[in-house]
């Protein structure tokens, strides 16, 4: 019969080896051969546009250039329009991007443009003048030893392209 001290030692060793074998998937992060995934905003859908609250759906695509699956634990983001903060928030959706594959995910966004109505109306008075946008975020990857992947996209939209004739 095993003594309590021997039993504790055996259980501790089993837990250590289990943890060590679980970390083999993270070895690319430790050795430096890990390549950051590419995150792209591919579409913005307007869900509801009311006077005091607007709802959008941001659709992202994340490409994994690594030879191992990439667990993703969420996304922190902020969106600016002509320098004014349009929306910020986070998504806690967990998913796995396959090795050398991609995954498309959606993030719901709610905002209140009422406080910016003057700047928005002024920008819409000239529908041919581009409006600058900026999207910044941080994708949280990994399980035990997480890594944060920064993303930034800047560009311009022309309001006249979205106004029906």
């Amino acid at each position: 019969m095993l003594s309590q001290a021997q039993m504790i030692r055996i259980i501790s060793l089993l837990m250590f080896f289990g943890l060590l074998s679980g970390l083999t998937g993270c070895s690319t992060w430790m050795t430096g051969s890990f390549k950051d995934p590419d995150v792209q905003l591919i579409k913005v859908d307007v869900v509801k546009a009311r006077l005091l609250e607007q709802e959008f759906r941001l659709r992202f695509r994340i490409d994994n250039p690594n030879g191992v699956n990439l667990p993703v634990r969420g996304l922190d983001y902020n969106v600016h329009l002509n320098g004014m903060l349009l929306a910020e928030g986070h998504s806690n959706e967990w998913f796995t991007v396959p090795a050398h594959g991609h995954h498309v995910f959606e993030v719901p966004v709610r905002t209140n443009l009422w406080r910016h109505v003057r700047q928005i109306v002024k920008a819409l008075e000239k529908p041919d003048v581009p409006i600058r946008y900026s999207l910044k975020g941080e994708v949280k990857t990994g399980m035990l030893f997480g890594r944060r992947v920064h993303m930034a996209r800047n560009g311009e939209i022309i309001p006249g392209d979205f106004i029906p004739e």
Side-chain angles (χ1 to χ4, degrees):
M1 184 166 210
L2 296 174
S3 70
Q4 186 176 5
Q6 288 175 326
M7 185 63 88
I8 291 173
R9 183 181 303 160
I10 291 172
I11 290 173
S12 297
L13 283 171
L14 286 173
M15 289 175 57
F16 174 74
F17 286 121
L19 178 64
L20 192 60
S21 67
L23 291 177
T24 58
C26 302
S27 65
T28 56
W29 296 337
M30 304 295 186
T31 61
S33 62
F34 176 79
K35 297 176 191 160
D36 284 343
D38 182 39
V39 183
Q40 300 172 26
L41 176 65
I42 56 175
K43 190 172 183 185
V44 177
D45 292 321
V46 177
V47 178
K48 290 181 185 174
R50 291 178 256 160
L51 183 61
L52 295 178
E53 181 182 62
Q54 298 78 39
E55 293 181 41
F56 302 96
R57 193 174 314 122
L58 304 179
R59 189 171 298 153
F60 293 92
R61 175 185 164 131
I62 183 166
D63 293 299
N64 180 8
N66 299 293
V68 295
N69 290 345
L70 177 69
V72 174
R73 299 178 289 128
L75 165 75
D76 295 327
Y77 64 89
N78 63 53
V79 182
H80 288 83
L81 211 57
N82 269 354
M84 65 184 151
L85 181 64
L86 178 68
E88 66 182 337
H90 64 277
S91 166
N92 290 325
E93 181 182 349
W94 285 58
F95 55 87
T96 300
V97 183
H100 301 293
H102 71 274
H103 182 80
V104 175
F105 65 101
E106 295 179 351
V107 176
V109 175
R110 288 183 178 199
T111 188
N112 182 348
L113 297 177
W114 183 249
R115 63 182 177 249
H116 303 296
V117 73
R118 284 188 182 139
Q119 294 99 330
I120 292 171
V121 168
K122 188 175 181 181
L124 293 177
E125 286 175 351
K126 301 175 186 171
D128 296 332
V129 175
I131 297 175
R132 294 180 329 276
Y133 73 87
S134 169
L135 168 70
K136 294 181 183 174
E138 204 173 60
V139 177
K140 297 174 276 188
T141 66
M143 296 292 264
L144 187 57
F145 297 106
R147 183 178 184 134
R148 293 180 177 263
V149 177
H150 298 278
M151 67 167 185
R153 299 285 184 264
N154 296 306
E156 294 180 339
I157 58 171
I158 300 174
D161 293 346
F162 299 98
I163 299 172
E165 294 182 25

